[in-house]
């Protein structure tokens, strides 16, 4: 569905990148450091004017790198991150090999998942087991809900509008709950589900059906595997069980409090069908099959005896632009910028379309409480006005982009005053190929999918491939949660 086919009622906008109060393209910390460096150059010059021949070019070069942009970030930040990654690579900190270590490190996942552990609990409302991921550093707990794949492209406009309004109400409820720290929604698309579909059709075929009907079904089964995929969506909610008037005293009470908070999130009416809470076996399957795609269709019995640390990779190498692990090589991309114009609600459809390679699309977000959201928007309005005023004083007039940015900040404030919520969010996409030889084809497929969204700009997660890979899994890690 293209943008011009979507009714105006189903176009969404209000996306804006948070900006700091700095001079020109400099951030606030960069502006302060640049001023301090210039003052230091002046102080040194009073004692020895010849030092300006060295200090001024160096200062100008650093300020120029801080002001220049590269891949949506300052060039100084980009090159500093690359230098830090190279130092880590020389120290072999970017490579992981599972070895026998003493407790408590023997059963830990690598990287950002090292502080997590899996707890098998019993949901008192359904009587079924549920898996809870506990972060031992922050005491936050994450519960994952398995969703039923579906869509609303064929639904009436009124039904889609109702789903969007209901989802807005869910965000409103999350913003006023101090225990909910963040959430993420992930859709995993795995190609090759047509084989299972063919087996299912063969078992259900009526031997007494007309010959023409059998021929049509056989033709569909023959051509379908190249255009279908297995779709597995889930939603993970991170909760702080201790952020309550009567904090739980032990781990069991913390788990119970976490399940109570998650049960209070009502997704009915959002266009999403809930399958069930993810069990500990479900979480092991999702995590293990992400690192080793060959076990995606394994039986549940093969995951029941796995320790949480065994769900991670046996070996992994986190390079600057990709992440090599058991059974595959993954590439993670992150959001760089959203379009500055209204976009259709189905804008992510090209990223969710089946392709040759497994793909996970994750939307992570943190809903700001009303007081924090209002303070953030007021700061953004002031900063946008200051940037336009400084440019007008230097060049005689403000840039049109600065005027438009100020209008978008005011529009966001007006929408919040009308009941909308302020949400910090980001988009991450992970594609996994079975071998390094397939990497160029996978990158090309991912680039085409991003371009097909007509406006969303993304970039590779430079130097953070392993962390981004973990953020798309139910490991309890959300990059927006402090």
């Amino acid at each position: 569905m293209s943008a011009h086919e979507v009714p105006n009622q189903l176009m969404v906008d209000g996306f804006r990148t948070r900006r700091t109060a700095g001079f020109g393209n400099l951030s606030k910390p960069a502006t302060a450091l640049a001023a301090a460096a210039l003052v230091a150059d002046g102080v040194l010059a009073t004692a020895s004017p010849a030092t300006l021949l060295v200090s001024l070019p160096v200062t100008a070069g650093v300020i120029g790198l801080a002001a220049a942009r590269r891949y949506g970030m300052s060039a100084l930040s980009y090159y500093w991150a690359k230098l830090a990654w190279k130092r880590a690579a020389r120290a072999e900190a970017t490579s992981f090999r599972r070895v026998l270590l003493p407790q408590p490190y023997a059963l830990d996942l690598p990287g950002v998942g090292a502080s997590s552990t899996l707890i098998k609990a019993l949901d008192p409302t359904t009587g079924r087991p549920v898996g809870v991921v506990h972060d031992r550093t922050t005491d936050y707990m994450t519960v994952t809900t398995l969703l039923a794949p579906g869509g609303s492209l064929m639904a009436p406009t009124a039904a889609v509008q109702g789903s969007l309004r209901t989802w807005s109400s869910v965000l409103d409820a999350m913003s006023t709950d101090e225990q909910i720290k963040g959430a993420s929604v992930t859709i995993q698309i795995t190609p090759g589900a047509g084989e299972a579909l063919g087996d299912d059709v063969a078992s259900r075929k009526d031997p007494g059906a007309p010959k023409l009907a059998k021929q049509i079904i056989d033709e569909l089964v023959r051509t379908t595997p190249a255009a279908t995929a297995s779709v597995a969506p889930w939603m993970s909610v991170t909760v702080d069980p201790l952020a309550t008037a009567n904090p739980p005293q032990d781990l069991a009470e913390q788990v119970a409090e976490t399940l109570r908070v998650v049960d209070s999130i009502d997704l009915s009416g959002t266009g999403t069908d809930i399958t069930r809470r993810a069990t500990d076996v479900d979480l092991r399957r999702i995590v293990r099959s992400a690192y080793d795609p060959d076990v995606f269709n394994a039986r549940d019995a093969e995951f029941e005896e796995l320790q949480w640390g065994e769900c991670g990779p046996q070996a992994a190498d986190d390079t600057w632009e990709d992440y090599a692990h058991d059974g595959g090589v993954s590439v993670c991309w992150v959001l760089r910028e959203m379009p500055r114009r209204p976009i259709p609600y189905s804008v992510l459809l090209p990223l969710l379309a089946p392709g040759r390679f497994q793909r996970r699309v994750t939307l992570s977000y943190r809903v700001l409480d009303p007081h924090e959201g209002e303070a953030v928007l007021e700061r953004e309005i002031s900063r946008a006005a200051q940037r336009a005023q400084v440019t007008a004083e230097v060049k005689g007039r403000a840039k049109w982009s600065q005027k438009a940015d100020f209008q978008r900040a005011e529009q966001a404030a007006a929408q919040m005053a009308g009941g909308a919520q302020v949400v910090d969010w980001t988009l991450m996409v992970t594609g996994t190929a079975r071998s390094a030889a397939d990497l160029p084809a996978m990158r090309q497929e991912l680039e085409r999918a991003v371009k097909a969204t007509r406006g969303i700009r993304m970039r590779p997660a430079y130097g953070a491939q392993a962390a981004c890979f973990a953020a798309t899994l139910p490991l309890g890690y959300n990059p927006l949660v402090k």
Side-chain angles (χ1 to χ4, degrees), residues 180-249:
I180 299 179
K181 297 303 179 181
S184 63
V185 177
T186 300
I187 300 179
Q188 179 173 281
I189 307 99
T190 304
E195 298 175 359
L197 179 63
D199 294 340
D200 182 65
V201 171
S203 63
R204 299 168 60 183
K205 188 185 299 184
D206 186 359
K211 182 178 180 181
L212 179 61
K214 291 181 179 180
Q215 291 177 348
I216 294 175
I217 291 297
D218 292 340
E219 180 66 17
L220 289 174
V221 170
R222 185 182 66 83
T223 58
T224 293
T228 60
S230 172
V231 181
W234 63 81
M235 178 179 181
S236 299
V237 180
T238 301
V239 176
D240 182 5
L242 302 179
T244 180
N246 298 313
Q249 298 301 317

Side-chain angles (χ1 to χ4, degrees), residues 6-31:
V6 177
N8 291 332
Q9 300 92 326
L10 299 182
M11 304 292 284
V12 294
D13 58 359
F15 306 106
R16 185 178 178 276
T17 303
R18 229 189 245 197
R19 306 180 187 277
T20 58
F23 180 80
N25 289 334
L26 296 177
S27 63
K28 185 176 180 180
T31 301

Side-chain angles (χ1 to χ4, degrees), residues 363-382:
L363 183 66
S364 297
Y365 54 91
R366 180 177 71 93
V367 186
L368 279 62
D369 66 75
H371 297 290
E372 182 183 0
E374 182 179 3
V376 167
L377 291 179
E378 289 299 328
R379 286 197 302 268
E380 291 297 304
I381 292 175
S382 299

Side-chain angles (χ1 to χ4, degrees), residues 418-442:
Q421 300 301 320
V422 180
V423 180
D424 276 343
W425 68 281
T426 187
L427 180 67
M428 295 169 286
V429 179
T430 297
T432 300
R434 296 301 179 93
S435 65
D438 293 330
L439 267 181
M442 186 183 65

Side-chain angles (χ1 to χ4, degrees), residues 324-346:
H325 49 83
D326 299 349
V329 183
S330 296
V331 174
C332 301
W333 283 33
V334 295
L335 180 66
R336 176 176 172 180
E337 185 181 10
M338 286 294 291
R340 301 178 183 179
R341 53 176 173 77
I343 58 176
Y345 76 101
S346 57

Side-chain angles (χ1 to χ4, degrees), residues 378-430:
E378 289 299 328
R379 286 197 302 268
E380 291 297 304
I381 292 175
S382 299
R383 291 169 181 174
Q386 291 172 3
R387 283 191 297 271
Q389 182 180 358
V390 170
T391 304
E393 291 176 355
V394 174
K395 296 186 177 181
R397 66 173 180 84
K399 297 180 181 179
W400 282 108
S401 59
Q402 293 175 333
K403 294 180 180 179
D405 184 64
F406 177 73
Q407 292 175 356
R408 286 194 298 270
E410 284 191 321
Q411 179 185 4
Q415 290 175 345
M416 183 181 179
Q421 300 301 320
V422 180
V423 180
D424 276 343
W425 68 281
T426 187
L427 180 67
M428 295 169 286
V429 179
T430 297

